[in-house]
Amino acid sequence: MQYKIMIVDDEPVNLRTLERLFRRDYQVVTAQSGAEALTLLQHHDVALLISDQRMPEMTGIELMKNTVALRPQMVKILLTGYTDVSALIEAINCGLVYRYLTKPWNNDDLRVTVSRALEHYEMMKSRHLLGMENQRLRARLNEISELATQGMEPAPAANEQDDADSEAPWDQEKVYDLVI
């Protein structure tokens, strides 16, 4: 599976450099602003976002906050050329950022970080799918329990026994169908 990653930076040189670094292994989508990135995210199923922190009009953290509704499982890496401690603390405390990296980056380290981030993405996606499957199975189990409970009504009086035998309180085949 070839993952789609998005790179957001207001500096064209950084965009081209990062695109060249990853285009052989991934589908790369680039944006020069947070607003452009949000528009592109509506049309692309992106697994990983790499964003610069300091950009005009929208910071990297603001962009990441805005992406949660569009792509909740997307993993995010924040790049910055500045030691912005308050931004780092905010990003970590909000739980938005998988990794925070400084510029200039080491290409090999960045490749390893991206690879690990995509493994994290797969884990989060699997966890989400398992959660959905668990909800579905719980609902089915509740349906089956209700049908079984209906079948455990008190036994009818002796004179009502013949009528009760002809009319089961629940359909056993229907319960089997629900189990399967």
Side-chain angles (χ1 to χ4, degrees):
M1 169 185 220
Q2 190 174 33
Y3 294 101
K4 193 176 285 190
I5 64 173
M6 177 178 282
I7 302 166
V8 184
D9 199 317
D10 60 322
E11 298 175 35
V13 172
N14 287 340
L15 278 180
R16 284 193 305 272
T17 302
L18 290 167
E19 183 179 19
R20 277 194 304 270
L21 182 63
F22 294 114
R23 70 180 171 204
R24 188 176 25 185
D25 300 317
Y26 309 107
Q27 291 180 358
V28 179
V29 178
T30 61
Q32 289 189 326
S33 70
E36 182 183 0
L38 290 171
T39 300
L40 289 169
L41 281 172
Q42 293 175 5
H43 305 288
H44 295 278
D45 188 17
V46 174
L48 174 69
L49 172 69
I50 302 171
S51 177
D52 184 24
Q53 167 57 15
R54 289 200 178 181
M55 297 182 291
E57 298 173 22
M58 186 183 305
T59 67
I61 292 173
E62 290 169 341
L63 169 62
M64 291 177 183
K65 285 178 181 176
N66 289 322
T67 64
V68 173
L70 291 169
R71 303 278 175 223
Q73 276 79 39
M74 182 175 65
V75 179
K76 301 159 198 83
I77 296 174
L78 192 63
L79 289 175
T80 186
Y82 305 93
T83 307
D84 194 346
V85 176
S86 63
L88 173 60
I89 291 170
E90 181 183 358
I92 291 171
N93 286 344
C94 291
L96 294 173
V97 178
Y98 173 76
R99 284 281 193 270
Y100 181 89
L101 301 172
T102 58
K103 295 178 185 178
W105 61 84
N106 174 295
N107 285 346
D108 293 332
D109 290 343
L110 186 55
R111 278 192 190 105
V112 168
T113 299
V114 164
S115 177
R116 288 181 180 159
L118 291 169
E119 288 172 8
H120 180 75
Y121 169 77
E122 279 301 318
M123 187 219 25
M124 296 301 290
K125 190 168 112 178
S126 294
R127 192 167 133 187
H128 177 73
L129 292 173
L130 285 172
M132 288 175 51
E133 181 67 6
N134 281 342
Q135 284 181 324
R136 186 187 68 78
L137 290 173
R138 280 190 187 112
R140 298 268 320 261
L141 183 60
N142 286 338
E143 289 174 20
I144 293 167
S145 292
E146 283 182 28
L147 288 172
T149 303
Q150 291 171 2
M152 293 184 200
E153 294 175 1
N159 61 352
E160 297 174 10
Q161 187 64 39
D162 293 335
D163 291 339
D165 288 340
S166 65
E167 195 176 303
W170 50 275
D171 184 356
Q172 192 171 8
E173 286 182 24
K174 186 174 181 182
V175 172
Y176 290 138
D177 287 341
L178 284 172
V179 172
I180 297 171

